[in-house]
mmCIF file of all heavy atoms in Angstrom:
data_model
loop_
_atom_site.group_PDB
_atom_site.id
_atom_site.type_symbol
_atom_site.label_atom_id
_atom_site.label_comp_id
_atom_site.label_asym_id
_atom_site.label_seq_id
_atom_site.Cartn_x
_atom_site.Cartn_y
_atom_site.Cartn_z
ATOM 1 N N ALA A 844 -30.223 -20.517 62.103
ATOM 2 C CA ALA A 844 -29.936 -20.766 60.736
ATOM 3 C C ALA A 844 -28.681 -20.061 60.296
ATOM 4 O O ALA A 844 -27.936 -20.530 59.385
ATOM 5 C CB ALA A 844 -31.161 -20.294 59.852
ATOM 6 N N LEU A 845 -28.438 -18.898 60.836
ATOM 7 C CA LEU A 845 -27.199 -18.203 60.639
ATOM 8 C C LEU A 845 -25.966 -18.994 60.862
ATOM 9 O O LEU A 845 -24.995 -19.075 60.103
ATOM 10 C CB LEU A 845 -27.067 -16.856 61.442
ATOM 11 C CG LEU A 845 -27.950 -15.677 61.079
ATOM 12 C CD1 LEU A 845 -27.720 -14.546 62.145
ATOM 13 C CD2 LEU A 845 -27.680 -15.092 59.759
ATOM 14 N N ASP A 846 -25.990 -19.670 61.950
ATOM 15 C CA ASP A 846 -24.870 -20.508 62.399
ATOM 16 C C ASP A 846 -24.616 -21.690 61.438
ATOM 17 O O ASP A 846 -23.449 -22.156 61.273
ATOM 18 C CB ASP A 846 -25.087 -21.045 63.779
ATOM 19 C CG ASP A 846 -24.861 -19.900 64.814
ATOM 20 O OD1 ASP A 846 -24.250 -18.898 64.445
ATOM 21 O OD2 ASP A 846 -25.296 -20.116 66.026
ATOM 22 N N LYS A 847 -25.739 -22.149 60.816
ATOM 23 C CA LYS A 847 -25.621 -23.354 59.966
ATOM 24 C C LYS A 847 -25.064 -23.008 58.538
ATOM 25 O O LYS A 847 -24.608 -23.835 57.889
ATOM 26 C CB LYS A 847 -26.964 -23.995 59.781
ATOM 27 C CG LYS A 847 -27.480 -24.616 61.093
ATOM 28 C CD LYS A 847 -28.597 -25.588 60.773
ATOM 29 C CE LYS A 847 -29.219 -26.240 61.985
ATOM 30 N NZ LYS A 847 -30.381 -25.610 62.561
ATOM 31 N N GLY A 848 -25.092 -21.687 58.165
ATOM 32 C CA GLY A 848 -24.629 -21.275 56.917
ATOM 33 C C GLY A 848 -25.524 -21.496 55.804
ATOM 34 O O GLY A 848 -26.548 -22.120 55.906
ATOM 35 N N ILE A 849 -25.167 -21.081 54.544
ATOM 36 C CA ILE A 849 -26.020 -21.217 53.373
ATOM 37 C C ILE A 849 -25.343 -22.116 52.371
ATOM 38 O O ILE A 849 -25.874 -23.143 51.871
ATOM 39 C CB ILE A 849 -26.220 -19.842 52.698
ATOM 40 C CG1 ILE A 849 -26.542 -18.750 53.694
ATOM 41 C CG2 ILE A 849 -27.295 -19.938 51.593
ATOM 42 C CD1 ILE A 849 -26.342 -17.330 53.211
ATOM 43 N N LEU A 850 -24.004 -21.903 52.118
ATOM 44 C CA LEU A 850 -23.308 -22.635 51.080
ATOM 45 C C LEU A 850 -22.546 -23.737 51.540
ATOM 46 O O LEU A 850 -22.491 -24.867 51.097
ATOM 47 C CB LEU A 850 -22.349 -21.586 50.306
ATOM 48 C CG LEU A 850 -23.029 -20.515 49.469
ATOM 49 C CD1 LEU A 850 -21.930 -19.489 49.133
ATOM 50 C CD2 LEU A 850 -23.627 -21.081 48.243
ATOM 51 N N ALA A 851 -21.700 -23.483 52.628
ATOM 52 C CA ALA A 851 -20.746 -24.487 53.040
ATOM 53 C C ALA A 851 -20.757 -24.734 54.565
ATOM 54 O O ALA A 851 -19.775 -25.302 55.155
ATOM 55 C CB ALA A 851 -19.392 -24.069 52.577
ATOM 56 N N GLY A 852 -21.771 -24.233 55.194
ATOM 57 C CA GLY A 852 -21.881 -24.501 56.636
ATOM 58 C C GLY A 852 -21.118 -23.535 57.562
ATOM 59 O O GLY A 852 -20.857 -23.842 58.782
ATOM 60 N N TYR A 853 -20.652 -22.359 57.014
ATOM 61 C CA TYR A 853 -19.956 -21.427 57.797
ATOM 62 C C TYR A 853 -20.955 -20.377 58.284
ATOM 63 O O TYR A 853 -21.907 -20.107 57.670
ATOM 64 C CB TYR A 853 -18.813 -20.696 57.039
ATOM 65 C CG TYR A 853 -17.668 -21.658 56.693
ATOM 66 C CD1 TYR A 853 -17.550 -22.156 55.413
ATOM 67 C CD2 TYR A 853 -16.825 -22.047 57.699
ATOM 68 C CE1 TYR A 853 -16.475 -23.065 55.094
ATOM 69 C CE2 TYR A 853 -15.716 -22.889 57.348
ATOM 70 C CZ TYR A 853 -15.648 -23.490 56.078
ATOM 71 O OH TYR A 853 -14.606 -24.284 55.816
ATOM 72 N N PRO A 854 -20.678 -19.735 59.483
ATOM 73 C CA PRO A 854 -21.596 -18.751 60.022
ATOM 74 C C PRO A 854 -21.821 -17.531 59.026
ATOM 75 O O PRO A 854 -20.934 -17.139 58.336
ATOM 76 C CB PRO A 854 -20.965 -18.244 61.272
ATOM 77 C CG PRO A 854 -19.772 -19.065 61.464
ATOM 78 C CD PRO A 854 -19.477 -19.916 60.325
ATOM 79 N N VAL A 855 -23.072 -17.108 59.012
ATOM 80 C CA VAL A 855 -23.508 -15.940 58.148
ATOM 81 C C VAL A 855 -23.314 -14.700 58.921
ATOM 82 O O VAL A 855 -23.722 -14.559 59.995
ATOM 83 C CB VAL A 855 -24.885 -16.158 57.573
ATOM 84 C CG1 VAL A 855 -25.283 -14.976 56.683
ATOM 85 C CG2 VAL A 855 -25.039 -17.457 56.878
#
Side-chain angles (χ1 to χ4, degrees):
L845 286 178
D846 287 342
K847 291 196 182 97
I849 317 162
L850 292 167
Y853 292 104
V855 181

